[in-house]
Amino acid sequence: MATKITDAFWRRYQSIVKNEMLPYQWKVLNDEADICIERERDDSSIPNEKSHAIENFKIAAGQSAGNHYGWVFQDSDVYKWLEAAAYTLENDMDQELKELADKVVDLIGSAQEEDGYLGTYFTIEAPERKFKRLSESHELYCAGHFLEAAVAYYGATGNEKAVGMACKLADCIDRHFGKEEGKIRGYDGHEEIEIGLMRLFHLTGEERYLNLSRFFLYERGADNAFFEKQKAEDPNQTPLIQGLDKFPLSYYQVHKPILEQDTAEGHAVRLVYMCTAMADAAEASGDEKLLNVCRKIWRNIVDRRMYITGGIGSTVIGESFTFDYNLPNDTMYCETCASVGLIFFAYQMLRNEIRGEYGDVMERALYNTALAGMALDGKHFFYVNPLEVNPESSRRDPGKSHVKAVRPEWLGCACCPPNLARLLASLNHYVYLKKETTVYSVLFMNCESEFETEKGSLFVRQETEYPYKGTVRFLLRQNGDEELGFAVRIPGWANRYTVEWNGQIVDVKSKDGYIYFRKRFTDDTITLQFDMEIEVWEANPLVRADIGKAAVSRGPFVYCAEGIDNGENLHLLKLDAQAGFRYSYDAQLLGGVGIIKAFGYRQVPKPGALYHKMNDLGGETETEITLIPYYAWANRGVNEMRVWMRRKDSAKPFDIPN
Ligand code: FUB
Ligand code: ZN
């Protein structure tokens, strides 16, 4: 499948990746950027003097002297950078970037040990501790990221060196892990190797990689004392990461064997990475049991534990899920990486079963939390994506040190910026999905694609003004005489839609969020018109944090109010959802955004006492409330923001008999 994105909205992001993010991140990884690296929360154990990531490789390769600096998983920043560079080259070949990326591959190759082992911390500082403290070491997590990068790099450039190194690394891991006598029967604290192995399997067809990925998945939680035992046997008792041992087994998703897991528990990124690999392995091996686990966890996330912005992870403690309907707006985590991972999970689920809701969640996470992870300049990043911020609380409430009011230039733990870069650069891989002789459209954007099927190839041109207008046109042409299938997702937010086939309105019923066509396509046009109305949402009443509040969306965008447009104390505003809205597109504001004007009230605080009697309420003034797309917030300095607004419901007199 080859898709070329031509869309103005997304091409802008892809050029930000190419022209801003990659060069900027390269400088940061080389410690050449004059920036302030912030700790993502108030925790003095977070290393934040520099990145040192490239230098770590040079030291491991013997090209430089010194010590490793940073997290044990610092290498993964370089791998994700390389993966983002690979997709960027796939989109637009660029000799200079390719030469740089080739050099990075060479450097990684020089740091790889003879037996295939790759991991600069352990090569430099602690060779005797390799694979001995897997709950903390991230060795397989980093390996997984390298495998993903290598596969992407091969896809973009045909560079076989990286894939050779990836196979050598995977083979090394295969020699050390497994059920056989003498091998380690365990798993990494942070899932990711499972994804990397699946990708290597898809590229090479080597069944050992699929089996190894399944081994890691199935071992998870099978012996949930594995980490404890490893730790007890480790002659060196110094932790590799301070404080991880205080978390429960569910933090690592090892509290139960995976087939018994049915809720989203623990560290959110780990959970969605695990699920991504499970869904991929389920499809590749026809493993219905694995798929069933994915379905249950999916339901739990989407029905009870996901924010309206597609953010996941309700607490900073362990960057974790908590419990059903617990979705606090101002202390949550909603890590950018977690939403990136949710997109991966959703896409793999869609590969298993065609249901529009998977595409809906991809869209929700992509257009909202993922995009919010980066400032419009491509050089400032959120790790945590709140739905409500009061900058003073972030500054002065020690429980909210992770809730930043503006995006830092870089973070002590820099997992999110390159993760976002690789997602944005690889979007062409998520626009469609092909299964046998049917092509399914997943995301809406201008692009051209060519799909090879066993019954001939299908060319599709998509034309749209999405995400601002709801018309999407597909032009389809095939070669070959047999019928092919084409299916389009109907976004969950669309209340009404029409479908035209070569200019004639047709009545097509949707099935699980998709409408289907099977034809011999000869310059045919399918035009969909979704009503892109402004929607007002309420949360399930069991979500304590959102009771009595409303959130507004239009198309794929969730909206928010910012202090700069609405003044201070956003909690004093009440939205009158019945009063109607005005929508306009402002090309000058925030790189071009659709603005929503709503009618509402501002409560006037009573001066004086902290508490006063109900009948002594202060007044309210009518006011206009300005809402902007959530992703664009915090690009105009430090200010307040909130997604869920208080609602003004008409007061009904209620007579209580004496
Ligand atoms: O542990 C590696 C990465 O660092 C995780 O995915 C993020 O959540 C952060 O903890
Ligand atoms: Zn992250």
PDB file of all heavy atoms in Angstrom, residues 100 122 138 224 237 253 364 419 465 480 560 578 626 642:
ATOM      1  N   LEU A 100      22.416  11.769   7.137  1.00  0.00           N
ATOM      2  CA  LEU A 100      22.473  11.867   8.589  1.00  0.00           C
ATOM      3  C   LEU A 100      21.920  10.585   9.223  1.00  0.00           C
ATOM      4  O   LEU A 100      22.518  10.001  10.142  1.00  0.00           O
ATOM      5  CB  LEU A 100      21.667  13.092   9.055  1.00  0.00           C
ATOM      6  CG  LEU A 100      21.649  13.366  10.545  1.00  0.00           C
ATOM      7  CD1 LEU A 100      23.064  13.589  11.071  1.00  0.00           C
ATOM      8  CD2 LEU A 100      20.796  14.605  10.851  1.00  0.00           C
ATOM      9  N   PHE A 122      24.003  -0.548  29.522  1.00  0.00           N
ATOM     10  CA  PHE A 122      24.604  -1.790  30.019  1.00  0.00           C
ATOM     11  C   PHE A 122      25.970  -2.040  29.401  1.00  0.00           C
ATOM     12  O   PHE A 122      26.863  -2.568  30.054  1.00  0.00           O
ATOM     13  CB  PHE A 122      23.631  -2.959  29.808  1.00  0.00           C
ATOM     14  CG  PHE A 122      22.412  -2.788  30.664  1.00  0.00           C
ATOM     15  CD1 PHE A 122      21.298  -2.101  30.194  1.00  0.00           C
ATOM     16  CD2 PHE A 122      22.410  -3.243  31.969  1.00  0.00           C
ATOM     17  CE1 PHE A 122      20.193  -1.886  31.010  1.00  0.00           C
ATOM     18  CE2 PHE A 122      21.310  -3.031  32.795  1.00  0.00           C
ATOM     19  CZ  PHE A 122      20.201  -2.352  32.311  1.00  0.00           C
ATOM     20  N   HIS A 138      14.442  -1.793  30.949  1.00  0.00           N
ATOM     21  CA  HIS A 138      14.011  -1.288  29.640  1.00  0.00           C
ATOM     22  C   HIS A 138      14.891  -1.809  28.504  1.00  0.00           C
ATOM     23  O   HIS A 138      14.872  -1.241  27.406  1.00  0.00           O
ATOM     24  CB  HIS A 138      14.022   0.250  29.590  1.00  0.00           C
ATOM     25  CG  HIS A 138      12.914   0.921  30.329  1.00  0.00           C
ATOM     26  ND1 HIS A 138      12.849   0.972  31.692  1.00  0.00           N
ATOM     27  CD2 HIS A 138      11.831   1.624  29.894  1.00  0.00           C
ATOM     28  CE1 HIS A 138      11.787   1.663  32.064  1.00  0.00           C
ATOM     29  NE2 HIS A 138      11.147   2.063  31.002  1.00  0.00           N
ATOM     30  N   ASN A 224       3.969 -14.279  38.125  1.00  0.00           N
ATOM     31  CA  ASN A 224       4.078 -12.853  38.450  1.00  0.00           C
ATOM     32  C   ASN A 224       5.070 -12.550  39.570  1.00  0.00           C
ATOM     33  O   ASN A 224       5.210 -11.413  39.989  1.00  0.00           O
ATOM     34  CB  ASN A 224       2.718 -12.180  38.628  1.00  0.00           C
ATOM     35  CG  ASN A 224       1.920 -12.766  39.751  1.00  0.00           C
ATOM     36  OD1 ASN A 224       2.487 -13.398  40.632  1.00  0.00           O
ATOM     37  ND2 ASN A 224       0.621 -12.561  39.714  1.00  0.00           N
ATOM     38  N   GLN A 237      22.343  -4.653  44.137  1.00  0.00           N
ATOM     39  CA  GLN A 237      21.008  -4.265  44.601  1.00  0.00           C
ATOM     40  C   GLN A 237      20.661  -2.800  44.320  1.00  0.00           C
ATOM     41  O   GLN A 237      19.611  -2.321  44.711  1.00  0.00           O
ATOM     42  CB  GLN A 237      20.857  -4.589  46.089  1.00  0.00           C
ATOM     43  CG  GLN A 237      20.668  -6.085  46.358  1.00  0.00           C
ATOM     44  CD  GLN A 237      19.359  -6.641  45.750  1.00  0.00           C
ATOM     45  OE1 GLN A 237      18.279  -6.144  46.002  1.00  0.00           O
ATOM     46  NE2 GLN A 237      19.490  -7.678  44.909  1.00  0.00           N
ATOM     47  N   GLN A 253       1.356  -4.607  34.179  1.00  0.00           N
ATOM     48  CA  GLN A 253       0.415  -5.568  33.586  1.00  0.00           C
ATOM     49  C   GLN A 253       0.860  -7.017  33.813  1.00  0.00           C
ATOM     50  O   GLN A 253       0.735  -7.877  32.923  1.00  0.00           O
ATOM     51  CB  GLN A 253       0.216  -5.317  32.072  1.00  0.00           C
ATOM     52  CG  GLN A 253      -0.394  -3.986  31.723  1.00  0.00           C
ATOM     53  CD  GLN A 253       0.589  -2.837  31.780  1.00  0.00           C
ATOM     54  OE1 GLN A 253       1.728  -2.979  31.337  1.00  0.00           O
ATOM     55  NE2 GLN A 253       0.176  -1.703  32.317  1.00  0.00           N
ATOM     56  N   ARG A 364     -10.098  10.694  17.492  1.00  0.00           N
ATOM     57  CA  ARG A 364     -10.220  11.457  18.743  1.00  0.00           C
ATOM     58  C   ARG A 364      -8.844  11.698  19.367  1.00  0.00           C
ATOM     59  O   ARG A 364      -8.493  12.804  19.752  1.00  0.00           O
ATOM     60  CB  ARG A 364     -11.101  10.661  19.718  1.00  0.00           C
ATOM     61  CG  ARG A 364     -11.411  11.391  20.992  1.00  0.00           C
ATOM     62  CD  ARG A 364     -12.234  10.520  21.941  1.00  0.00           C
ATOM     63  NE  ARG A 364     -13.612  10.290  21.553  1.00  0.00           N
ATOM     64  CZ  ARG A 364     -14.592  11.181  21.597  1.00  0.00           C
ATOM     65  NH1 ARG A 364     -14.339  12.386  22.032  1.00  0.00           N
ATOM     66  NH2 ARG A 364     -15.816  10.872  21.230  1.00  0.00           N
ATOM     67  N   ASN A 419       8.087  10.409  19.856  1.00  0.00           N
ATOM     68  CA  ASN A 419       6.966   9.496  19.601  1.00  0.00           C
ATOM     69  C   ASN A 419       5.935  10.191  18.726  1.00  0.00           C
ATOM     70  O   ASN A 419       5.388   9.613  17.786  1.00  0.00           O
ATOM     71  CB  ASN A 419       6.330   9.076  20.938  1.00  0.00           C
ATOM     72  CG  ASN A 419       5.932   7.608  20.936  1.00  0.00           C
ATOM     73  OD1 ASN A 419       6.044   6.913  19.926  1.00  0.00           O
ATOM     74  ND2 ASN A 419       5.462   7.126  22.066  1.00  0.00           N
ATOM     75  N   GLU A 465     -12.209  18.779   2.503  1.00  0.00           N
ATOM     76  CA  GLU A 465     -11.760  19.946   3.273  1.00  0.00           C
ATOM     77  C   GLU A 465     -11.767  19.613   4.761  1.00  0.00           C
ATOM     78  O   GLU A 465     -11.758  20.493   5.610  1.00  0.00           O
ATOM     79  CB  GLU A 465     -12.649  21.155   2.971  1.00  0.00           C
ATOM     80  CG  GLU A 465     -12.355  21.761   1.616  1.00  0.00           C
ATOM     81  CD  GLU A 465     -13.302  22.904   1.305  1.00  0.00           C
ATOM     82  OE1 GLU A 465     -13.235  23.937   1.989  1.00  0.00           O
ATOM     83  OE2 GLU A 465     -14.112  22.745   0.382  1.00  0.00           O
ATOM     84  N   GLY A 480      -7.846  -4.498 -13.855  1.00  0.00           N
ATOM     85  CA  GLY A 480      -8.341  -5.842 -13.569  1.00  0.00           C
ATOM     86  C   GLY A 480      -9.849  -5.846 -13.705  1.00  0.00           C
ATOM     87  O   GLY A 480     -10.495  -4.818 -13.502  1.00  0.00           O
ATOM     88  N   CYS A 560     -11.945  23.906  23.697  1.00  0.00           N
ATOM     89  CA  CYS A 560     -11.678  24.319  25.075  1.00  0.00           C
ATOM     90  C   CYS A 560     -11.746  25.847  25.157  1.00  0.00           C
ATOM     91  O   CYS A 560     -11.686  26.539  24.136  1.00  0.00           O
ATOM     92  CB  CYS A 560     -10.289  23.842  25.511  1.00  0.00           C
ATOM     93  SG  CYS A 560      -8.943  24.659  24.657  1.00  0.00           S
ATOM     94  N   GLN A 578     -28.262  25.601  25.178  1.00  0.00           N
ATOM     95  CA  GLN A 578     -29.479  25.751  24.366  1.00  0.00           C
ATOM     96  C   GLN A 578     -29.434  27.012  23.499  1.00  0.00           C
ATOM     97  O   GLN A 578     -30.201  27.159  22.562  1.00  0.00           O
ATOM     98  CB  GLN A 578     -30.716  25.856  25.268  1.00  0.00           C
ATOM     99  CG  GLN A 578     -31.422  24.523  25.496  1.00  0.00           C
ATOM    100  CD  GLN A 578     -30.803  23.809  26.671  1.00  0.00           C
ATOM    101  OE1 GLN A 578     -30.672  24.388  27.732  1.00  0.00           O
ATOM    102  NE2 GLN A 578     -30.394  22.570  26.476  1.00  0.00           N
ATOM    103  N   THR A 626     -15.605  32.143  24.172  1.00  0.00           N
ATOM    104  CA  THR A 626     -14.868  31.783  22.950  1.00  0.00           C
ATOM    105  C   THR A 626     -14.177  30.445  23.162  1.00  0.00           C
ATOM    106  O   THR A 626     -13.474  30.249  24.156  1.00  0.00           O
ATOM    107  CB  THR A 626     -13.808  32.860  22.633  1.00  0.00           C
ATOM    108  OG1 THR A 626     -14.487  34.099  22.470  1.00  0.00           O
ATOM    109  CG2 THR A 626     -13.020  32.531  21.376  1.00  0.00           C
ATOM    110  N   ARG A 642      -9.856  25.228  30.102  1.00  0.00           N
ATOM    111  CA  ARG A 642     -10.699  24.100  30.499  1.00  0.00           C
ATOM    112  C   ARG A 642     -11.545  23.586  29.342  1.00  0.00           C
ATOM    113  O   ARG A 642     -11.978  24.359  28.481  1.00  0.00           O
ATOM    114  CB  ARG A 642     -11.563  24.387  31.723  1.00  0.00           C
ATOM    115  CG  ARG A 642     -12.601  25.454  31.622  1.00  0.00           C
ATOM    116  CD  ARG A 642     -13.578  25.394  32.797  1.00  0.00           C
ATOM    117  NE  ARG A 642     -12.923  25.299  34.085  1.00  0.00           N
ATOM    118  CZ  ARG A 642     -13.493  24.791  35.199  1.00  0.00           C
ATOM    119  NH1 ARG A 642     -14.726  24.328  35.161  1.00  0.00           N
ATOM    120  NH2 ARG A 642     -12.844  24.753  36.327  1.00  0.00           N
TER     121      ARG A 642
END
